[in-house]
Amino acid sequence: MLGLVLVLAAPAVKAQAIKTNVPLLLVGTPNVGMEFTVSQQFTTNLDILWMPYMFKKHEEVLRALVGSADLRYYVKPRYYYTNNMYDGFYLGPYVEAGNFNIGFWRGEERESYRYKGWGISAGLSLGYKFYLSKRFRLDLNLGLGYAHLQYDKYQLGGEWADYPLELKDTRAWFGPTKFGVHLVYNLFR
């Protein structure tokens, strides 16, 4: 459905804003997002984040590449006619997908593992975009939905680190799957 809306509205789509998720940026995770105007009260939001970390001491790893897209419907947008940018409450469907390789050392007494795999998520995104100035907004959002993860389990470090202990284990989750506190910069006045 989201793809159909984007294809039908493609001639009218134009970039509206660029943004970053501030809590992720503060912990050193590069991320960027763009919002595009589709039609009156509708925008498309695209986000990507990358966690590139590997720590040599215990061969700990925290790597992920995640992308998401959502269609937003602004309910009674504010300030639109003065600066060509929507503010206020919005909701709409989202999809998210990515891969990961995550493992933390748990101490000498406990076994430590890493998990390598992929995940997908879909649900409903809710949020509010606050007006800060002509150029800047603060966008708070939460995604509620379903997440499906599939991964292989490995020993963390040591001679068996490259041999999976378990293959294609899966996990499912219903609940919060997306959260953001974005600082938004309006590309146009």
Side-chain angles (χ1 to χ4, degrees):
M1 180 68 180
L2 178 63
L4 179 62
V5 169
L6 292 177
V7 168
L8 294 176
V13 173
K14 68 177 186 175
Q16 180 186 40
I18 189 166
K19 60 188 183 170
T20 188
N21 195 337
V22 176
L24 290 175
L25 198 59
L26 290 175
V27 296
T29 302
N31 68 89
V32 68
M34 293 218 42
E35 191 166 355
F36 300 89
T37 302
V38 176
S39 68
Q40 189 173 2
Q41 293 182 262
F42 283 96
T43 65
T44 299
N45 182 66
L46 304 172
D47 292 315
I48 189 163
L49 74 85
W50 175 52
M51 290 189 283
Y53 307 110
M54 182 161 185
F55 309 99
K56 291 293 183 184
K57 184 173 182 182
H58 299 289
E59 296 185 31
E60 292 179 301
V61 65
L62 181 58
R63 292 185 173 170
L65 180 62
V66 179
S68 69
D70 42 321
L71 180 65
R72 294 178 171 182
Y73 171 72
Y74 284 83
V75 180
K76 297 183 183 176
R78 300 178 55 194
Y79 303 114
Y80 173 73
Y81 297 104
T82 58
N83 59 20
N84 295 329
M85 189 169 176
Y86 295 113
D87 298 319
F89 177 74
Y90 61 84
L91 60 105
Y94 77 92
V95 294
E96 190 170 40
N99 60 15
F100 58 89
N101 188 2
I102 299 173
F104 294 106
W105 188 64
R106 298 172 59 188
E108 298 291 339
E109 314 81 43
R110 300 173 75 188
E111 292 276 344
S112 297
Y113 303 103
R114 78 180 163 89
Y115 303 90
K116 183 177 182 180
W118 58 271
I120 56 172
S121 174
L124 180 68
S125 179
L126 308 165
Y128 196 91
K129 192 183 294 179
F130 295 93
Y131 177 90
L132 300 177
S133 70
K134 286 183 181 181
R135 290 275 185 194
F136 290 97
R137 307 291 188 273
L138 182 65
D139 182 2
L140 305 176
N141 68 5
L142 176 67
L144 302 170
Y146 171 76
H148 175 83
L149 303 174
Q150 181 174 309
Y151 56 88
D152 299 333
K153 181 178 175 180
Y154 296 85
Q155 188 75 35
L156 183 65
E159 60 188 277
W160 301 104
D162 295 328
Y163 301 99
L165 301 173
E166 295 176 15
L167 290 173
K168 297 191 180 192
D169 199 3
T170 60
R171 291 285 184 264
W173 165 263
F174 287 98
T177 57
K178 182 179 180 179
F179 174 74
V181 178
H182 295 88
L183 182 61
V184 181
Y185 177 75
N186 188 2
L187 295 174
F188 307 104
R189 192 180 98 70

